[in-house]
Amino acid sequence: MKQHIPLYYVNPKDGSEMVLAPGGWFRMGSGDDDKDASDNEKPRHLHHVQPFYIGITCVTVKQFRRFTKEGKYDAGGDWQKDDDDYPVRYVNWKDARAYCKWAGVRLPTEAEWELTARGYGALKYPWGNKWEDGKRVCWDKQNGPKGETSPVYTHPDGISAFGTFQQSGNVWEWCEDAYDSDVYKRYAKGDFGKPEKGESRVLRGGSWLNGYFHKYFRGGYRDNSYPRDRRYNLGFRVSRTVIF
């Protein structure tokens, strides 16, 4: 008898709504035909991941507040500036990892994040290959109600093929991986182990603050920051390994 794996999952600890990504082979990275691509996005290659769940949205202020109270965790005070239904920000990589440990989940790997942001065919943006004047994202030409971020379920016309919200714009999202500018070269040779050691950690997705360079909002754009950094445009979403 085959095991049924639900397409939709609600994490019991923190209430995160998650969608199943079947995994398998997909196109990762950017090709020479993408004029906005940086060298750290190349080469485009076939990549493989195991099935996983990923958060439909980023973790909210409400969820993070519950974590700090129940876990007695000190994440500073800046993260409390937004309303409950906004993505929590001013959180560093260590804060995000602590939340995940409390909630029984984990941060997505960079490969998982890119798959759900771009689909199996490496779309330029979650919704397709055209920028469309940025009408589908929260960025500095279309900020949220208070001039910065937007609630996590806004911009439904910018969702990915997997149904994830705001993998372009709103807040940069922490990934589990250490940042390695040349790791795609190793991946292209079939070694898909994520980088574990490095001074900085991967960020993906762009934020409400970015504007002039549209390349930041592409699903293939790679950025990084130090694990201790708590900034006004840094947040995260959660992931979960599928257990057969």
Side-chain angles (χ1 to χ4, degrees):
M1 182 176 178
K2 293 183 178 180
Q3 181 181 2
H4 174 68
I5 302 174
L7 298 178
Y8 172 79
Y9 175 80
V10 179
N11 190 54
K13 182 67 174 181
D14 68 342
S16 285
E17 296 180 280
M18 308 178 80
V19 64
L20 176 68
W25 293 95
F26 69 100
R27 295 187 182 278
M28 186 175 183
S30 300
D32 292 333
D33 58 329
D34 187 348
K35 297 180 180 179
D36 293 321
S38 302
D39 288 342
N40 69 350
E41 303 172 29
K42 300 178 181 179
R44 175 170 288 176
H45 60 280
L46 283 175
H47 201 95
H48 188 275
V49 294
Q50 296 297 318
F52 62 96
Y53 286 103
I54 192 165
I56 293 175
T57 72
C58 284
V59 170
T60 65
V61 171
K62 181 179 181 180
Q63 290 174 303
F64 199 78
R65 180 179 296 109
R66 179 183 170 191
F67 154 64
T68 59
K69 289 181 178 179
E70 292 186 7
K72 296 180 174 56
Y73 186 86
D74 182 7
D78 288 338
W79 65 268
Q80 302 179 66
K81 292 181 178 180
D82 296 318
D83 294 335
D84 281 358
D85 59 344
Y86 281 67
V88 68
R89 54 193 179 119
Y90 295 95
V91 290
N92 61 33
W93 183 79
K94 295 179 179 179
D95 298 332
R97 294 271 321 281
Y99 177 96
C100 288
K101 183 177 180 180
W102 166 80
V105 291
R106 59 177 175 80
L107 288 174
T109 67
E110 184 173 24
E112 291 171 343
W113 193 99
E114 185 165 332
L115 169 57
T116 51
R118 307 184 72 184
Y120 287 93
L123 294 174
K124 194 168 184 178
Y125 304 100
W127 59 87
N129 290 316
K130 295 183 179 180
W131 174 237
E132 300 180 20
D133 295 324
K135 67 181 182 181
R136 297 176 184 263
V137 304
C138 178
W139 63 307
D140 76 353
K141 302 297 188 295
Q142 184 174 247
N143 289 150
K146 299 179 181 180
E148 297 182 331
T149 56
S150 295
V152 294
Y153 279 110
T154 55
H155 300 290
D157 53 349
I159 64 174
S160 74
F162 286 91
T164 53
F165 282 67
Q166 299 174 353
Q167 284 197 263
S168 180
N170 217 19
V171 291
W172 285 102
E173 299 180 25
W174 290 109
C175 292
E176 176 65 24
D177 311 37
Y179 176 72
D180 179 347
S181 61
D182 293 324
V183 72
Y184 283 26
K185 296 177 182 177
R186 173 165 64 79
Y187 289 162
K189 297 178 181 178
D191 180 357
F192 302 137
K194 70 178 185 296
E196 300 283 358
K197 297 180 180 180
E199 293 185 356
S200 61
R201 294 285 164 169
V202 172
L203 290 170
R204 302 296 294 259
S207 82
W208 63 273
L209 188 64
N210 300 120
Y212 183 75
F213 295 110
H214 300 164
K215 66 180 181 180
Y216 295 138
F217 302 97
R218 294 162 41 256
Y221 189 81
R222 306 178 66 214
D223 205 346
N224 66 101
S225 191
Y226 293 113
R228 63 178 180 274
D229 288 347
R230 288 174 175 162
R231 298 205 307 265
Y232 42 73
N233 58 349
L234 302 184
F236 68 103
R237 74 181 64 221
V238 299
S239 184
R240 180 178 182 270
T241 301
V242 173
I243 301 174
F244 294 96

